[in-house]
């Protein structure tokens, strides 16, 4: 190591010099000490001495020296210029393990050149080795261990020295610093002195010497050829034999265990302290496999125990079963009245009680005061048919050596009533097993039968069972139990007279959180509350006793509210809730080990409570109906007033004063002005002319004046027509309509105004006078009106076939003309007018009167539309007569009511506005 | 002293095995002529008087063991040459020699510490290096035969 350090230092030096000067030269100085090793924490001083020739060559002296450690300049405070060629540097409290120290010089006052370098090592001197001990592994050389103490950080040599009083042995140099194996064979019965020397650059120390006889430090080779043999005479012993190594007297240590056990049983050392190579182990169980191991040490106990030998096993010989099997029975529930089926069951004896291989079981069934039946069974159950009487069953297990004691079981008669159950039955987990405790009944108990099974909704309860003695009141369930399973545990005391009543309890070996949470749903949702309901979790999902439920509900923006509910409940009412709000509900079930949330459920509370809408709507409807009823009643009571304003009575022309209708009476309106007024051919208003009724009979003067009026009108206006006429003329006619404005209007807008004289009164009112009304229609005027030349053709057609349909139509659809008392008058007038010189005028009026029949319905409308064609072919004589008579009235009326009229429908007994 | 007794017992316990191993390893005629070839008839073997004092016995023991140790050293050297494959024999010879080294150390210390005897004159057997093979084997066999016989006496004397 030191050689390597020197080489590295020199290489560094050469490298630095070569770099700085460019050629191999002798160093300009040296550092002393050249290979320093410093104890940590101590001070260290190094000096650098420059050569004289370098001082002159590079114009430097000691004051130009720059010290560096690990390429970092040393502060000037640590540097001292001793003389012209020597500079020193002092370090206090050296802590670094390795420091590269270089001496540099500023040549020519500027260029830094490395002069010399060295490595400063720091560490500690070796501690005195302690705890020196040696062991002699038989067949090998002696090995010694020691504790070297603290780390030295330096190269330290450890040497194990040994000697007799009469000679020394070769040193043992340690490679690891903590142990060393000597190179010579151990020689027993001669004391040897051993010590350790430790040495490094900072010092050399020796441990205390130990003096011992190597034979007292021997660790022997383990015994070998260990064998185990049994004895047919004694089923409780096994004999061991083995071999020891060497010639020394050794004592042994023997351990054994059953094959399945994990702990070893120690044979007392007092029994094996004398040197031996065989031993017989006693008090073993019959027919049980045992495993043995052995180790040795020098007889006086000095030295080390050898390693354990290889294990050897042996089986003790068989013995008769030490106990009878556990014995129980089950009665088939579907038995008849005369017999019953019993299933006798028993448990296989554990190996510790069977004491050998069980060959078969012997069952003896004895009926009360009757003969016995023997059964030999290889299995562990026997199904027998029994009567309803009392039975006694006994069971014994048999192996190659002998037979066990018998287990006796009383099977009571079918009428036996069980009683005396155990009380205070409890079951709880303990030590990773299920512990069952109970209080014995007051009656002496022969034994207890404990049965258990897993409760599940998916699989039936398949019970397992075990038997306990009559004095036992607590036990652990034997068998492989599962965690998170609900066990139904039943304890049945068995008395001499038979089994007692059973008591059951549920228990979990280890509870866990439920597999899933309950699924909650709403049973009823109100405006401010909701009734939640859920089903109990299936027992397979409970994984423990459900202690409580927690219901968490919240709105989409509100905080979550959690309520705890007892596990016995299956519904809960959430209140108060906000109306018309979406709620999210989650429910969790908790066992002792935790809880599990169920799926989230949402519901929305209604905006109105149940019946709230009805409470609002029904009164409103009732109020509306009441208001409507009151309105109807009001209208009914005030019908006259309403009628007066809305539906006034049409004046009865018969009650008008004839004087006002006289043609001599100056017209209120000028015809010229009327033409001007209706120049556009449209009537936009209706005026009702009330005429004072006059019961006077029409007089011939009136007729004359009417005729004169007509003549005058014909002569002046040609085709003009209108409403009017004297009551004398219209009293015996059902209806006559005319419109003098039609003529002028048709020439412009093809609008025809109609006027109807209602013979009967309005709504069963018997009119005392005829009523005149005026209607408006778009029916074009008859061609005869527009083309007077056609009238000639019509005159020539006497009693033509074209007329008949019109008459029939009027008879069928127009208010039963036959029933009308005026019909005779109508016909009479027709006859009177036949062949008169006014036929020409009447023919034109006939064409107008065809339009009067319009209100008779749609059929009439159709026919009415066909009217012009019919008229074109020629009007009947009846129609001519009819029109003739109405022309006079219209002419008279036209003078009195020049404005406009509502079109009206002619109906017997009244008229309707259109 | 117990160590000396144990060492003598150890030597006594292994002497017969060493003797058998030796003549067996030499091959015929030794195994079938042990009495003739390996009889304890060495003339220069140091005497031992079992009825002497402890000091006398220790001194005689020291001389005898020194003689045996040196002679067994020669035998071991010859056997490495004559029977290099007799590893078991070599091991037994070495173990016996090592035990004798220890015995000598113990006896010397005992004499020194208790009887203040710092030096004991010893004698050694003839050098067998110049002898032929059979003689070497025969002398070795005679030595071991004598050793087996004497060591039992000595072991009982202490």
């Amino acid at each position: 190591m030191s050689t390597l350090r020197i080489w590295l230092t020199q290489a560094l030096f050469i490298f630095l010099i070569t770099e700085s000067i460019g050629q191999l030269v002798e160093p300009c100085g040296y550092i002393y000490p050249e290979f320093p090793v410093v104890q940590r924490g101590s001070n260290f001083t190094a000096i650098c001495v420059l050569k004289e020739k370098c001082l002159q060559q590079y114009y430097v002296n000691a004051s130009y020296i720059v010290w560096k450690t690990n390429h970092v300049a040393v502060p000037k405070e640590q540097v001292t210029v001793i003389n012209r060629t020597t500079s020193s540097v002092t370090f206090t409290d050296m802590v670094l393990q390795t420091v590269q120290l270089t001496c540099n010089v500023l040549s020519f006052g500027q260029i830094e050149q490395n002069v010399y370098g060295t490595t400063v090592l720091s560490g500690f001197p070796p501690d005195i080795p302690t705890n020196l001990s040696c062991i002699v592994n038989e067949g090998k050389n002696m090995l010694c261990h020691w504790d070297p103490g603290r780390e030295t950080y330096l190269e330290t040599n450890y040497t194990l020295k040994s000697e007799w009083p009469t000679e020394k042995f070769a040193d043992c140099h340690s490679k690891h610093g903590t142990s060393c194996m000597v190179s010579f064979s151990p020689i027993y019965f001669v004391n040897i002195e051993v010590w350790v020397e430790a040495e490094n650059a900072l010092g050399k120390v020796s441990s205390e010497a130990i003096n011992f006889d190597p034979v007292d430090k021997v660790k022997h080779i383990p015994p070998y050829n260990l064998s185990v043999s049994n004895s047919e005479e004694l089923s409780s012993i096994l004999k061991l034999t083995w071999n020891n190594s060497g010639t020394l007297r050794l004592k042994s240590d023997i351990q054994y265990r059953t094959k399945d056990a994990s702990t070893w049983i120690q044979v007392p050392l007092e029994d094996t302290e004398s040197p031996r190579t065989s031993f017989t182990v006693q008090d073993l169980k019959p027919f049980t496999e045992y495993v043995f191991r052995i180790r040795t040490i020098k007889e006086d106990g000095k030295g080390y125990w050898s390693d354990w030998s290889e294990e050897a096993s042996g089986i003790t010989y068989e013995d008769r079963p030490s106990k009878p099997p556990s014995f129980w029975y089950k009665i088939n529930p579907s038995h008849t009245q005369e017999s019953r089926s019993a299933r006798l069951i028993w448990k296989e004896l554990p190996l510790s009680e069977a004491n050998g291989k069980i060959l078969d079981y012997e069952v003896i069934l004895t009926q009360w005061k009757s003969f016995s039946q023997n059964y030999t069974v290889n299995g562990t159950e026997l199904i027998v048919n029994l009567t309803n009487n009392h039975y006694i069953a006994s069971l014994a297990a048999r192996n190659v050596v002998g037979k066990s004691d018998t287990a006796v079981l009383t099977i009571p008669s079918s009428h036996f009533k069980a009683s005396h159950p155990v009380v205070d039955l409890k079951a709880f987990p303990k030590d990773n097993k299920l512990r069952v405790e109970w209080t014995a009944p007051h009656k002496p108990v022969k034994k207890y039968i404990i049965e258990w099974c897993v409760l599940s909704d998916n699989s039936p309860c398949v019970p397992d069972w075990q038997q306990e003695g009559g004095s036992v009141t607590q036990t652990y369930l034997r068998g492989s139990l599962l965690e998170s399973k609900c066990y139904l545990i039943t304890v049945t005391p068995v008395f001499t007279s038979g089994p007692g009543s059973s008591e059951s309890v549920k228990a979990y070996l280890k509870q866990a959180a439920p597999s899933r949470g309950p699924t909650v749903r709403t049973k009823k949702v109100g405006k401010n509350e909701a009734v939640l309901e859920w089903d109990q979790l299936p027992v397979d999902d409970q994984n423990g006793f459900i202690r409580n439920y927690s219901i968490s509900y919240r709105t989409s923006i509100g905080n979550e509210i959690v309520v705890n509910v007892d596990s016995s409940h299956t519904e809960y009412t959430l209140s108060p809730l906000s109306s018309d709000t979406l709620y999210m509900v989650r429910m969790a079930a908790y066992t002792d080990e935790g809880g599990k949330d169920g799926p989230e459920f949402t519901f929305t509370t209604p905006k109105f409570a149940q019946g709230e809408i009805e409470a609002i709507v029904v009164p409103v409807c009732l109020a509306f109906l009441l208001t409507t009823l009151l309105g109807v009643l009001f209208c009914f009571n005030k019908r006259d007033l309403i009628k007066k304003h809305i539906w006034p009575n049409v004046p009865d022309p018969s009650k008008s004063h004839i004087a006002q209708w006289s043609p001599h009476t100056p017209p209120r309106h000028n015809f010229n002005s009327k033409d001007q007024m209706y120049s556009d051919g449209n009537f936009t208003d209706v005026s009702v002319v009330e005429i004072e009724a006059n019961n006077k009979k029409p007089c011939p003067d009136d007729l004359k004046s009417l005729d004169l009026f007509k003549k005058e009108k014909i002569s002046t206006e040609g085709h003009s027509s209108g409403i009017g006429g004297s009551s004398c003329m219209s009293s015996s006619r059902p209806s006559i309509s005319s419109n003098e404005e039609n003529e002028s209007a048709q020439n412009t807008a093809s609008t025809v105004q109609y006027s109807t004289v209602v013979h009967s009164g309005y709504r069963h009112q018997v009119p005392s006078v005829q009523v005149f009304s005026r209607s408006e229609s778009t029916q074009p005027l008859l061609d005869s009106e527009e083309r007077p030349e056609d009238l000639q053709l019509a005159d020539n057609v006497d009693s033509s076939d074209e007329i008949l349909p019109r008459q029939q139509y009027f008879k069928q659809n127009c208010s039963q003309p036959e029933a009308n008392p005026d019909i005779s008058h109508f016909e009479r007038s027709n006859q009177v007018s036949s062949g008169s010189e006014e036929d020409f005028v009447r023919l034109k009026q006939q064409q107008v009167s065809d339009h009067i029949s319009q209100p008779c319905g749609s059929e009439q409308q159709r026919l009415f539309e066909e009217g012009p064609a019919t008229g074109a072919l020629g009007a009947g004589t009846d129609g001519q007569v009819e029109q003739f008579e109405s022309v006079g009235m219209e002419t008279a009326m036209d003078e009195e009511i020049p404005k406009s009229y509502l079109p009206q429908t002619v109906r017997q007994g009244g008229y309707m506005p259109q | 002293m117990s160590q000396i007794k144990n060492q003598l017992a150890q030597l006594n316990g292994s002497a017969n095995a060493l003797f058998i191993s030796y003549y067996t390893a030499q091959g015929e005629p030794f195994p079938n002529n042990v009495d003739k070839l390996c009889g304890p008839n060495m003339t220069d073997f140091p005497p031992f008087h079992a009825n002497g004092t402890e000091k006398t016995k220790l001194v005689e023991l020291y001389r005898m063991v020194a003689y045996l140790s040196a002679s067994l050293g020669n035998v071991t050297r010859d056997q490495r040459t004559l029977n290099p494959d007799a590893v078991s024999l070599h091991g037994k010879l070495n173990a016996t020699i090592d035990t004798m080294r220890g015995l000598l150390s113990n006896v010397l210390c005992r004499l020194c510490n208790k009887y203040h005897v710092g030096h004991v004159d010893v004698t050694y057997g003839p050098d067998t290096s110049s002898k032929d093979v059979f003689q070497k084997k025969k002398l070795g066999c005679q030595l071991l035969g004598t050793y087996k016989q004497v060591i039992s006496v000595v072991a009982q004397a202490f």
Side-chain angles (χ1 to χ4, degrees):
Chain A
M1 183 67 183
S2 59
T3 306
L4 178 63
R5 199 169 59 189
I6 294 169
W7 184 86
L8 286 174
T9 305
Q10 291 178 346
L12 176 64
F13 168 73
I14 293 170
F15 173 75
L16 293 174
I17 294 300
T18 303
E19 284 293 312
S20 60
I21 301 177
Q23 57 182 347
L24 289 173
V25 295
E26 288 186 0
C28 282
Y30 294 94
I31 293 176
Y32 301 99
E34 196 167 1
F35 308 109
V37 178
V38 183
Q39 183 170 346
R40 291 204 178 173
S42 63
N43 297 335
F44 168 67
T45 300
I47 60 173
C48 181
V49 181
L50 300 176
K51 292 181 179 179
E52 284 291 341
K53 64 177 184 180
C54 291
L55 297 181
Q56 298 173 358
Q57 183 176 355
Y58 299 109
Y59 300 98
V60 296
N61 55 35
S63 62
Y64 287 82
I65 291 176
V66 177
W67 291 91
K68 286 188 174 180
T69 55
N70 295 338
H71 309 292
V72 177
V74 176
K76 291 183 178 180
E77 293 77 13
Q78 296 179 234
V79 178
T80 303
V81 178
I82 297 175
N83 54 33
R84 187 168 159 272
T85 61
T86 306
S87 174
S88 69
V89 63
T90 301
F91 301 96
T92 58
D93 193 14
M94 293 284 290
V95 293
L96 295 178
Q97 182 177 356
T98 302
V99 176
Q100 289 183 345
L101 179 64
T102 58
C103 175
N104 308 276
V105 65
L106 293 174
S107 60
F108 307 105
Q110 294 179 345
I111 303 172
E112 183 177 306
Q113 294 181 341
N114 183 266
V115 177
Y116 204 82
T118 187
T119 300
V120 181
L121 299 178
S122 67
F124 297 101
D127 282 349
I128 297 175
T130 56
N131 297 331
L132 176 62
S133 64
C134 298
I135 182 172
V136 178
N137 290 301
E138 188 177 11
K140 296 180 181 178
N141 296 340
M142 187 173 65
L143 177 66
C144 295
H145 296 266
W146 63 89
D147 181 5
R150 66 177 174 181
E151 173 67 47
T152 63
Y153 303 104
L154 298 174
E155 182 178 344
T156 304
N157 295 322
Y158 291 88
T159 303
L160 179 67
K161 293 182 172 295
S162 56
E163 64 181 16
W164 280 345
T166 56
E167 63 178 293
K168 292 182 182 294
F169 295 97
D171 291 341
C172 180
H173 299 286
S174 172
K175 293 181 180 178
H176 311 291
T178 57
S179 65
C180 193
M181 181 178 281
V182 299
S183 59
F184 53 89
S185 298
I187 299 173
Y188 298 152
F189 306 114
V190 184
N191 278 24
I192 188 171
E193 191 169 271
V194 176
W195 70 98
V196 179
E197 289 183 357
E199 183 179 12
N200 64 13
L202 297 177
K204 177 182 178 181
V205 293
S206 297
S207 71
E208 289 186 1
I210 57 173
N211 190 297
F212 59 93
D213 185 345
V215 78
D216 295 335
K217 303 293 181 183
V218 174
K219 181 180 180 181
H220 293 271
I221 294 174
Y224 54 95
N225 293 336
L226 177 62
S227 63
V228 183
S229 58
N230 61 13
S231 170
E232 292 188 9
E233 288 77 18
L234 288 174
S235 60
S236 61
I237 66 167
L238 286 173
K239 185 178 181 180
L240 309 180
T241 58
W242 68 92
N243 294 114
N244 287 328
S245 63
T247 57
L248 298 176
R249 292 173 61 85
L250 305 176
K251 68 178 182 182
S252 304
D253 179 15
I254 300 173
Q255 290 184 342
Y256 66 95
R257 61 176 172 84
T258 58
K259 183 182 180 181
D260 299 327
S262 59
T263 57
W264 292 90
I265 301 170
Q266 178 73 50
V267 174
L269 289 175
E270 307 86 80
D271 298 342
T272 58
E273 63 182 358
S274 60
R276 65 178 63 237
T277 57
S278 66
F279 187 81
T280 299
V281 183
Q282 303 176 3
D283 297 331
L284 301 179
K285 295 177 182 176
F287 199 62
T288 304
E289 184 175 2
Y290 287 91
V291 180
F292 296 88
R293 66 180 182 179
I294 188 171
R295 62 178 179 173
T296 57
I297 195 172
K298 200 156 73 75
E299 185 181 11
D300 57 5
K302 294 180 180 177
Y304 301 92
W305 280 105
S306 69
D307 292 331
W308 289 104
S309 66
E310 291 185 357
E311 295 178 356
S313 61
I315 301 174
T316 53
Y317 199 70
E318 293 186 38
D319 195 1
R320 63 184 287 267
S322 57
K323 288 183 179 178
S326 300
F327 195 25
W328 188 230
Y329 75 99
K330 288 286 185 183
I331 298 293
N332 190 344
S334 61
H335 62 85
T336 61
Q337 290 185 347
E338 291 78 16
S339 64
R340 49 185 174 158
S341 175
R343 179 169 165 262
L344 306 178
I345 54 176
W346 55 90
K347 291 281 187 180
E348 285 187 354
L349 285 171
L351 197 61
S352 59
E353 297 174 356
N355 293 339
K357 182 180 179 181
I358 299 299
L359 301 176
D360 52 42
Y361 298 91
E362 184 180 86
V363 180
I364 300 174
L365 197 61
T366 305
Q367 190 173 359
W368 180 248
K369 295 180 180 179
S370 178
F371 61 92
S372 300
Q373 288 178 291
N374 290 2
Y375 302 91
T376 300
V377 184
N378 293 324
T380 57
E381 68 172 25
L382 174 65
I383 297 175
V384 293
N385 287 323
L386 306 177
T387 65
N388 291 328
N389 293 331
H390 177 94
Y391 283 86
I392 293 178
S394 62
L395 172 70
R398 190 173 63 184
N399 64 10
V400 68
V401 176
K403 193 168 64 174
S404 70
D405 294 336
T406 57
V408 179
L409 191 63
T410 299
I411 304 175
S413 63
S414 58
H415 307 295
F416 177 79
K417 298 297 183 185
S419 61
H420 297 88
V422 299
V423 294
D424 298 333
L425 177 60
K426 294 179 291 185
F428 51 89
K430 186 178 181 181
D431 299 333
N432 292 325
K433 292 184 285 188
L434 263 184
R435 184 177 180 83
V436 184
E437 294 181 358
W438 64 89
T439 301
H442 297 296
K443 190 176 179 181
V445 179
K446 187 178 179 183
K447 64 181 181 182
Y448 292 97
I449 299 295
I450 298 107
E451 298 171 286
W452 67 90
C453 67
V454 176
L455 282 182
S456 173
D457 296 328
N458 303 321
S459 58
C461 177
V462 180
D464 195 358
W465 63 282
Q466 70 185 50
Q467 175 181 305
E468 298 294 340
S471 60
V472 174
T473 57
Q474 55 188 18
T475 185
Y476 288 102
L477 295 187
R478 295 185 290 270
S480 58
L481 303 180
L482 302 175
E483 295 180 355
S484 307
K485 295 291 184 184
C486 183
Y487 286 94
L488 179 64
I489 303 167
T490 304
V491 177
T492 306
V494 179
F495 307 103
T496 306
S497 58
S501 296
S502 300
E503 282 292 317
S504 298
V505 68
K506 294 178 182 177
Y508 285 86
L509 177 63
K510 182 174 175 56
Q511 297 188 54
S515 302
R516 65 181 179 88
T519 302
V520 66
R521 58 184 179 275
T522 52
K523 182 180 181 180
K524 180 184 177 184
V525 179
K527 180 181 178 182
N528 298 115
E529 65 178 17
V531 180
L532 303 178
E533 65 175 0
W534 60 91
D535 296 328
Q536 296 279 5
L537 284 176
V539 68
D540 294 302
D541 295 332
Q542 291 183 4
N543 297 337
F545 295 111
I546 301 298
R547 299 303 184 191
N548 66 291
Y549 298 105
S550 74
I551 301 175
S552 308
Y553 64 100
R554 61 183 172 85
T555 62
S556 58
I557 57 173
N559 295 327
E560 188 173 68
I561 301 173
V562 180
V563 292
N564 290 324
V565 183
D566 189 77
S567 61
S568 61
H569 295 172
T570 57
E571 67 176 44
Y572 184 79
T573 301
L574 297 181
S575 177
L577 302 178
S578 302
S579 62
D580 194 21
T581 305
L582 176 68
Y583 280 91
M584 285 158 280
V585 183
R586 179 183 286 113
M587 189 170 181
Y590 288 89
T591 66
D592 293 337
E593 298 298 323
K596 182 73 173 179
D597 286 333
E600 190 173 75
F601 175 76
T602 59
F603 68 88
T604 303
T605 53
K607 194 170 185 176
F608 300 100
Q610 187 175 8
E612 189 171 334
I613 296 177
E614 290 82 350
I616 296 173
V617 171
V618 169
V620 169
C621 292
L622 289 175
F624 178 76
L625 288 175
L626 185 61
T627 304
T628 305
L629 186 60
L630 291 174
V632 170
L633 290 174
F634 176 80
C635 293
F636 183 76
N637 290 331
K638 300 294 183 180
R639 62 184 182 276
D640 295 335
L641 183 60
I642 293 171
K643 183 178 178 182
K644 179 180 179 181
H645 287 87
I646 298 176
W647 200 335
N649 286 327
V650 177
D652 189 355
S654 62
K655 295 179 180 179
S656 63
H657 300 283
I658 194 62
Q660 295 177 354
W661 292 86
S662 172
H664 301 289
T665 302
R668 293 178 183 176
H669 303 285
N670 193 345
F671 284 103
N672 295 329
S673 61
K674 190 171 63 177
D675 293 338
Q676 186 179 2
M677 181 180 294
Y678 300 129
S679 60
D680 56 353
N682 291 325
F683 293 91
T684 58
D685 195 4
V686 175
S687 297
V688 177
V689 178
E690 292 186 4
I691 302 172
E692 188 179 354
N694 191 356
N695 293 329
K696 293 180 179 178
K697 293 288 184 179
C699 58
D701 293 336
D702 292 336
L703 294 174
K704 285 182 178 179
S705 63
L706 181 60
D707 290 339
L708 290 174
F709 176 70
K710 287 181 179 176
K711 290 178 180 176
E712 180 183 355
K713 194 167 186 178
I714 292 171
S715 62
T716 57
E717 296 182 42
H719 300 292
S720 66
S721 63
I723 191 168
S726 67
S727 58
C728 298
M729 294 177 64
S730 61
S731 60
S732 59
R733 287 182 172 86
S735 64
I736 299 173
S737 66
S738 177
N739 190 350
E740 64 179 2
E741 287 82 7
N742 280 351
E743 188 175 2
S744 59
Q746 193 172 18
N747 293 331
T748 59
S750 300
T751 300
V752 179
Q753 300 295 327
Y754 299 94
S755 173
T756 303
V757 177
V758 181
H759 182 73
S760 59
Y762 171 67
R763 290 192 177 183
H764 309 292
Q765 299 175 8
V766 179
S768 56
V769 295
Q770 284 189 339
V771 177
F772 292 85
S773 179
R774 185 167 183 175
S775 64
E776 181 176 339
S777 172
T778 56
Q779 177 67 32
L781 294 175
L782 295 175
D783 292 341
S784 58
E785 276 188 302
E786 293 180 345
R787 290 176 296 182
E789 61 273 17
D790 292 340
L791 294 176
Q792 297 299 328
L793 179 60
D795 289 337
N796 296 330
V797 179
D798 187 16
S799 302
S800 68
D801 298 335
E802 297 294 333
I803 301 302
L804 289 175
R806 289 175 61 98
Q807 293 175 337
Q808 291 173 353
Y809 163 75
F810 274 103
K811 290 180 180 179
Q812 291 174 359
N813 298 306
C814 294
S815 303
Q816 299 174 351
E818 294 82 2
N820 195 325
D822 296 335
I823 197 68
S824 58
H825 178 75
F826 183 81
E827 292 174 349
R828 185 180 62 246
S829 300
N830 194 10
Q831 293 171 356
V832 169
S833 61
S834 172
S836 68
E837 87 183 47
E838 296 173 358
D839 286 347
F840 177 66
V841 176
R842 291 174 181 171
L843 175 61
K844 291 189 285 185
Q845 295 300 325
Q846 172 65 37
Q847 292 171 346
V848 175
S849 69
D850 288 342
H851 301 292
I852 297 174
S853 61
Q854 177 186 359
C856 294
S858 59
E859 184 64 21
Q860 294 173 356
Q861 175 71 22
R862 184 182 61 80
L863 295 174
F864 190 79
E865 289 174 352
E866 293 173 352
T870 305
L873 294 175
T877 55
D878 293 341
Q880 293 172 358
V881 171
E882 190 177 61
Q883 291 297 322
F884 173 75
E885 291 180 353
S886 66
V887 166
M889 288 192 292
E890 287 179 353
T891 305
M893 289 294 292
D894 186 50
E895 293 178 353
E896 190 67 24
I897 307 167
K899 294 287 184 180
S900 61
Y901 300 91
L902 280 173
Q904 298 195 3
T905 301
V906 176
R907 177 172 289 183
Q908 186 175 2
Y911 68 94
M912 292 292 288
Q914 297 182 11
Chain B
M1 193 62 188
S2 63
Q3 288 179 322
I4 294 173
K5 291 179 181 178
N6 287 329
Q7 286 172 319
L8 291 174
Q10 187 179 9
L11 291 172
N12 186 34
S14 61
N16 188 48
L18 175 63
F19 177 61
I20 295 171
S21 178
Y22 182 85
Y23 69 70
T24 302
Q26 307 313 308
E28 292 300 333
F30 290 92
N32 294 324
N33 299 280
V34 173
D35 295 339
K36 294 179 181 177
L37 298 175
C38 305
N41 54 357
M42 297 182 67
T43 56
D44 58 345
F45 196 84
F48 179 80
H49 301 89
N51 54 359
T53 62
E54 182 179 287
K55 179 182 176 183
T56 304
K57 287 192 289 187
L58 287 174
V59 170
E60 290 179 347
L61 176 62
Y62 187 88
R63 289 191 182 121
M64 184 184 70
V65 172
Y67 178 90
L68 282 172
S69 180
S71 299
L72 285 177
N74 293 334
V75 171
T76 302
R77 181 198 60 199
D78 294 339
Q79 287 301 309
R80 286 199 185 107
T81 305
L82 299 175
N83 296 299
D85 297 332
V87 178
S88 176
L89 175 62
H90 298 165
K92 287 182 170 66
L93 287 171
N94 289 329
T96 302
I97 293 170
D98 288 343
T99 304
M100 287 181 177
R101 279 173 56 206
L103 180 60
L104 287 174
S105 176
N106 285 341
V107 172
L108 183 59
C109 286
R110 180 74 177 177
L111 288 172
C112 180
N113 294 336
K114 186 174 183 180
Y115 301 106
H116 307 289
V117 176
H119 177 74
V120 176
D121 293 330
V122 298
T123 59
Y124 299 101
D127 184 10
T128 59
S129 59
S130 59
K131 300 197 181 285
D132 59 17
V133 173
F134 182 76
Q135 285 297 322
K136 287 179 181 177
K137 291 182 178 178
K138 182 183 177 183
L139 289 173
C141 196
Q142 287 177 336
L143 176 68
L144 291 177
T146 303
Y147 163 69
K148 185 187 78 172
Q149 188 178 43
V150 172
I151 197 68
S152 63
V153 175
V154 174
Q156 291 177 355
F158 289 94

